[in-house]
Amino acid sequence: MKLTKDNFTMSLFTKDRYEPLRTCIDSFTSTAPKETSVIVLEDQPKDRFRNSGLIPDYKNLHVVEIPKKSSCAHLWNLCYLLSETRYVMVTQDDIIFNSDKWLCMAEEKLEEGYECVLLYNWGAFILDKKVLPKLGYADERFKGGCHEDADLTLRAREQDSIKLCNLTGPLDHGGTSEADISHNPNYYSSACWDASYNEKFFHQKWGESFDSLLRQNPRKPLIEDIDWYPALTDMWRD
């Protein structure tokens, strides 16, 4: 499967972290298919990326400012909604693409039939939107950030029909990416971050901790998931 500017978009979200954001964008555009669209979602910016002096001179860069309180799950879903292509990369703003190895490996995995390729756990992944009717969206009942990615991991495990691979190893936030990607960790501080609430909701939804559940056979959540954007789901339904 060849990724091109016509079938592939890179989307990421940030909050007032323009230096790592610029590094991320530069490393992506230097290794990605030529003229691939890049969408930046600014989460309640105090300043503006447009006025930072750090915005790159890249023709297909689109900046969207989100003025209201949001969450990682909602921003994640907006990455799907705002990209017009079948394949979308969702990445954190502190990821660095050291070479085009990520592209070669992603194309190989997509050709093998994988529908979601985790390049650096859920910190950088490529999604085939045709999997949305099965996998669903990030659960927007999680506030701020924390546990929404663990929730998606368990939902993917619960369905045998979803083909997902992680180039960093087991789905437990560990390891080193085979795709030559670095993580320059910066704490993502959303204005509505609420890790304690998310931990309680995760336990209500699944009944146990994430680490405990990974050691067990896949199972369904105790609280039903929501189709947050049914129109988009139907668009990619076979």
Side-chain angles (χ1 to χ4, degrees):
M1 170 57 65
K2 195 75 173 174
L3 294 175
T4 70
K5 66 180 181 66
D6 297 318
N7 66 9
F8 178 52
T9 302
M10 185 264 226
S11 191
L12 71 163
F13 49 89
T14 188
K15 181 170 176 60
D16 302 315
R17 303 196 306 194
Y18 300 139
E19 290 186 6
L21 172 63
R22 175 61 189 265
T23 300
C24 176
I25 294 173
D26 285 347
S27 68
F28 174 82
T29 55
S30 66
T31 58
K34 187 177 180 181
E35 298 183 358
T36 297
S37 291
V38 176
I39 301 175
V40 175
L41 304 181
E42 281 207 77
D43 180 14
Q44 306 164 86
K46 294 179 182 177
D47 301 309
R48 303 178 74 194
F49 187 35
R50 293 181 176 89
N51 300 335
S52 66
L54 292 170
I55 193 165
D57 182 18
Y58 184 68
K59 181 176 69 172
N60 291 336
L61 176 66
H62 313 279
V63 180
V64 181
E65 296 173 0
I66 312 297
K68 297 182 179 180
K69 286 186 177 182
S70 192
S71 67
C72 288
H74 179 57
L75 292 166
W76 203 339
N77 291 337
L78 284 177
C79 291
Y80 304 156
L81 289 165
L82 295 177
S83 57
E84 298 179 347
T85 53
R86 173 175 171 177
Y87 300 97
V88 58
M89 172 190 283
V90 179
T91 181
Q92 298 174 184
D93 61 4
D94 49 11
I95 292 290
I96 300 172
F97 302 89
N98 298 307
S99 71
D100 65 356
K101 187 176 181 180
W102 69 266
L103 177 61
C104 298
M105 295 191 73
E107 289 179 337
E108 288 177 5
K109 294 299 182 183
L110 292 170
E111 186 65 33
E112 292 172 13
Y114 285 96
E115 299 161 304
C116 188
V117 181
L118 277 59
L119 303 170
Y120 199 100
N121 301 305
W122 291 103
F125 67 94
I126 295 175
L127 183 89
D128 180 349
K129 289 182 184 175
K130 284 188 174 292
V131 79
L132 284 173
K134 295 185 291 183
L135 179 62
Y137 307 89
D139 192 336
E140 296 186 14
R141 291 170 292 190
F142 289 102
K143 298 180 180 180
C146 190
H147 292 289
E148 72 286 333
D149 52 351
D151 173 71
L152 206 55
T153 294
L154 295 175
R155 286 158 52 193
R157 288 178 76 238
E158 182 259 325
Q159 298 191 57
D160 293 336
S161 61
I162 293 176
K163 291 199 67 177
L164 178 148
C165 66
N166 186 12
L167 300 182
T168 316
L171 290 167
D172 61 358
H173 296 81
T176 301
S177 176
E178 299 176 20
D180 197 20
I181 290 175
S182 302
H183 183 212
N184 179 28
N186 287 275
Y187 186 70
Y188 188 85
S189 181
S190 173
C192 56
W193 190 281
D194 196 342
S196 61
Y197 172 87
N198 286 353
E199 185 174 358
K200 291 177 183 176
F201 178 68
F202 182 89
H203 196 274
Q204 290 173 355
K205 185 172 181 179
W206 290 97
E208 297 182 51
S209 70
F210 177 63
D211 291 339
S212 174
L213 289 162
L214 278 181
R215 295 192 292 268
Q216 303 176 26
N217 292 327
R219 71 185 196 198
K220 293 185 179 295
L222 303 176
I223 298 176
E224 188 176 351
D225 277 298
I226 295 172
D227 187 351
W228 295 96
Y229 303 100
L232 181 63
T233 306
D234 289 340
M235 184 183 300
W236 295 103
R237 197 183 302 277
D238 289 331

